[in-house]
Amino acid sequence: MAVMTMIKAIQDGMRVEMERDDSVLVLGEDVGVNGGVFRATEGLYQQFGEKRVFDTPLAESGIIGTSVALAALGFRPVAEIQFQGFVYETMDQICSQAARLRFRSGGRFNVPMVIRSPFGGGVKTPEMHSDSLEALFLHTPGLKVVIPSNPYDAKGLLIAAIRDPDPVLYFEPMRLYRSVKQEVPEEAYTVPIGKARIVKEGSDVTLIAYGAMVPMAEKAALQAEKERGIKAEIIDLRTINPLDMDTLLASVEKTGRVVIVHEAVKTGGVGAELIARINESAILSLEAPVVRVTGYDTPYPISSLEDEWLPSVGRIRTAIDQVLDF
């Protein structure tokens, strides 16, 4: 075991898989000699060389298009898009090519590739660097979408993503890169894709979150327990596609009240999909309407205003009271 930050756990996940499997490649802008803009690939170029860790031109569509071809021909590329806000340039390659190739070819080809990208606010970045666009990919069959909330899950989920036979989008909350440390095994291990984690058990309300909103939900739950004795159950989705509805529905049936937290905009977000599925399967278990705590339906604001835009402990705490007092 070693104490790691999330960024170190991500780097270590790539390292152990590259040692295990020669078909694993790393590519993207500045991922080689410089080790990536956040140093997520630091040391990999020196250990594995330029044929397995290589820089690309500043052309996101080219990075993903190249990765699709490499994957179809037997490699396992791990492509980095420097910031999630740049992913719009890659939508054709991801949604029209990577996601469809297994289906289109009748199973003759598959696309075992990972697309890593940092996302989310709270770190005072310039425009287009803090967007939370994960919900765009829920509407594309053929893709898995993974979002870790801690170093242990970050390494285990990344290894599982690299080993997966299909394309996986692996989104990394920037604010958690170096703000959290945790004991992480130095050897390879996997965290299953599609299995949520019960962070804290409770009986009064279910808090559903992922990524950087998980520690935020934990703080709000602690505050609610101190102030009103409310026992909140906290579920970390870990993956938003596929969703672990068995775990979610079991919690909803137990508590009867739900608050969903994500920092992406509200309309058409992950929260909306969760509410629809909860209503389809467990509406008679609800004691109150499901409440969402999200970013607002505006473009991501300038850095001086992001604290007012992002979900906060106070906003989550208010939502907990809202469903309990309904």
Side-chain angles (χ1 to χ4, degrees), residues 98-112:
R100 293 171 179 257
L101 190 55
R102 179 193 284 273
F103 185 84
R104 178 187 295 145
S105 68
R108 287 179 297 148
F109 294 96
N110 62 311
V111 186

Side-chain angles (χ1 to χ4, degrees), residues 249-316:
L249 293 174
S251 182
V252 172
E253 289 167 0
K254 178 170 63 171
T255 68
R257 294 173 172 84
V258 182
V259 174
I260 300 168
V261 188
H262 60 69
E263 60 181 281
V265 298
K266 176 181 280 189
T267 301
V270 175
E273 178 63 23
L274 287 170
I275 290 172
R277 296 199 192 188
I278 290 169
N279 286 346
E280 287 170 354
S281 301
I283 193 168
L284 295 180
S285 298
L286 292 174
E287 301 291 340
V290 179
V291 173
R292 288 172 287 174
V293 182
T294 71
Y296 296 104
D297 286 343
T298 69
Y300 196 87
I302 59 174
S303 59
S304 61
L305 297 176
E306 72 174 355
D307 290 341
E308 286 71 34
W309 193 90
L310 290 167
S312 63
V313 172
R315 287 175 61 195
I316 300 170

Side-chain angles (χ1 to χ4, degrees), residues 60-71:
E60 287 79 9
S61 59
I63 295 169
I64 304 306
T66 299
S67 297
V68 172
L70 287 167

Side-chain angles (χ1 to χ4, degrees), residues 183-200:
E183 284 196 345
V184 176
E186 295 182 88
E187 65 275 9
Y189 64 93
T190 60
V191 171
I193 293 174
K195 181 63 178 175
R197 175 175 68 104
I198 299 177
V199 180
K200 175 183 175 294

Side-chain angles (χ1 to χ4, degrees), residues 103-289:
F103 185 84
R104 178 187 295 145
S105 68
R108 287 179 297 148
F109 294 96
N110 62 311
V111 186
M113 63 181 283
V114 177
I115 302 169
R116 294 181 41 250
S117 189
F119 83 109
V123 292
K124 309 298 184 185
T125 62
E127 186 181 14
M128 299 296 292
H129 290 66
S130 291
D131 293 308
S132 296
L133 306 175
E134 62 273 13
L136 293 177
F137 301 101
L138 296 187
H139 206 62
T140 304
L143 300 175
K144 297 182 176 75
V145 184
V146 173
I147 303 176
S149 69
N150 60 78
Y152 180 89
D153 282 358
K155 181 176 177 179
L157 285 168
L158 180 56
I159 292 173
I162 293 171
R163 296 181 184 181
D164 198 274
D166 294 305
V168 180
L169 298 170
Y170 183 92
F171 294 140
E172 305 161 5
M174 280 187 288
R175 72 162 80 181
L176 299 184
Y177 267 161
R178 292 178 173 85
S179 63
V180 179
K181 292 184 178 181
Q182 192 177 27
E183 284 196 345
V184 176
E186 295 182 88
E187 65 275 9
Y189 64 93
T190 60
V191 171
I193 293 174
K195 181 63 178 175
R197 175 175 68 104
I198 299 177
V199 180
K200 175 183 175 294
E201 293 192 354
S203 55
D204 296 323
V205 59
T206 299
L207 302 184
I208 302 172
Y210 56 88
M213 294 297 99
V214 173
M216 191 78 71
E218 290 183 86
K219 292 176 183 177
L222 180 61
Q223 191 178 102
E225 187 166 5
K226 285 182 177 179
E227 293 175 355
R228 292 187 57 180
I230 297 168
K231 297 188 182 303
E233 182 150 291
I234 303 172
I235 298 178
D236 176 3
L237 292 177
R238 282 177 166 163
T239 61
I240 61 170
N241 196 18
L243 287 165
D244 181 5
M245 292 308 301
D246 289 341
T247 297
L248 296 178
L249 293 174
S251 182
V252 172
E253 289 167 0
K254 178 170 63 171
T255 68
R257 294 173 172 84
V258 182
V259 174
I260 300 168
V261 188
H262 60 69
E263 60 181 281
V265 298
K266 176 181 280 189
T267 301
V270 175
E273 178 63 23
L274 287 170
I275 290 172
R277 296 199 192 188
I278 290 169
N279 286 346
E280 287 170 354
S281 301
I283 193 168
L284 295 180
S285 298
L286 292 174
E287 301 291 340

